[in-house]
Amino acid sequence: MHKRIKKILIPLLIGIVFLCGCAAKEPTPAGDFQQLEAYQETYFSLFDTVTIVKGYAVDEKAFHEALKPFYEEFLLCHELFDIYEEYPNLLNVKTINDNAGIAPVEVDERIISLLTFCKDVYDMTGGAVDVTLGPVLSIWHNAREAGENNPEDAYLPDMEELKAAKQHCGIDKLVIDESASTVMLTDVNARLDVGAIAKGYAIQMASKKLPEGYLISVGGNVVATGGKEGGDTPWVIGIRNPNGAADDYVEKVTLVNGSVVTSGDYQRFYTVDGVNYHHIIDPSTLMPGSRWRSVTILCEDSGLADALSTAVFLMDRESGEKIVLAEGAEAMWVDQDGNVYYTEGFKERLKK
Ligand code: AMP
Ligand code: MG
């Protein structure tokens, strides 16, 4: 099991939960009158959170057969996009970080396409989501881990140290050579942190390996590959109330095809002197963003939804809405007082 997963209170991480689906007794659309049953599988060691896949198959064996290609792809993405761990015979994002200022690293095409997308996200979000923020994010990460392990000694990062780390950030330090399939960080102290985007990007790719009508939930990221059983019946996704328990939903939305992703201040945080400090860092202040309790994005592509949820979490509503609508997405915001705001399209997708 992944080292960091042990520290996670699993149910608290699941900001979005799919809510319905009992055994289905309808004939398949092909006219084959074999009955389908609902099945569910849970994985605990991927992307530092819990993955649940739900779908329909004729029997359990068929369900697990259908999951195999998905799991293999998702596991590979988990290893390729990891910034903390090394794996035998694999060059991953950690390898790129370890070679910062030293040499380009030839990597799998999945890393090239993820990082190319990350550069696009930087432009799209005006730098709000910046995967080269690694030096700053690792200071917060270390403080959070120390605070979680020893709550009495929890401390805030030193602002001078954060500012010094910021000197080594910058999207221009990330050089991708697509024809050579190499990536290089040009500053010896530069580091990538793909945590804002990689999970959604990976589910999007892996979900292509599943049959129609499956639902995947990875922490706060959900993808549906079609309505239940591949039909028109939507899945119902609960969006967690940031002030409530894991099964207290602020809203429920319907999903047939596409993705719902939430970024929230309750998903990962630690406490210093009674104040919670979470994991989404505003590049302009180097502190956790404080505008929203959570932002949920609804759109076709889970990589885009993941990127947008982190970005919009750091923006005022007007700026966020502009970007969301320009990207063909919809959004829902929960503010510090529990007020909820929606784009028009999001409102239409609420479960009545
Ligand atoms: P998410 O849960 O998708 O909103 O992503 C949060 C994760 O993204 C954090 O745990 C960090 O690894 C990373 N992160 C936090 N703030 C930023 C930022 N401004 N730009 C890029 N990555 C970030
Ligand atoms: Mg994100």
Side-chain angles (χ1 to χ4, degrees), residues 8-9 17 24 47 65 72 94 163 219 227 246-248 253 265 286 291 307 311 326 328:
I8 293 170
L9 286 173
V17 180
F47 285 94
E65 279 301 312
E72 278 167 18
K94 181 179 188 301
K163 283 183 182 163
D247 59 352
D248 178 5
V253 289
D265 66 2
L286 308 182
R291 278 196 175 91

Side-chain angles (χ1 to χ4, degrees), residues 280-292:
I280 305 172
I281 305 301
D282 188 332
S284 62
T285 62
L286 308 182
M287 295 294 287
S290 55
R291 278 196 175 91
W292 308 106

Side-chain angles (χ1 to χ4, degrees), residues 129 194-200 221 261-263 267 279-280 302-311:
V129 172
V194 292
I197 301 173
K199 194 165 46 152
N221 297 41
V261 175
T262 295
S263 287
Q267 290 169 328
H279 66 313
I280 305 172
S302 193
L304 178 64
D306 198 356
L308 286 175
S309 69
T310 310

Side-chain angles (χ1 to χ4, degrees), residues 185-204:
L185 289 169
T186 54
D187 178 329
V188 72
N189 291 311
R191 295 291 180 272
L192 296 172
D193 182 326
V194 292
I197 301 173
K199 194 165 46 152
Y201 198 84
I203 317 169
Q204 186 63 35

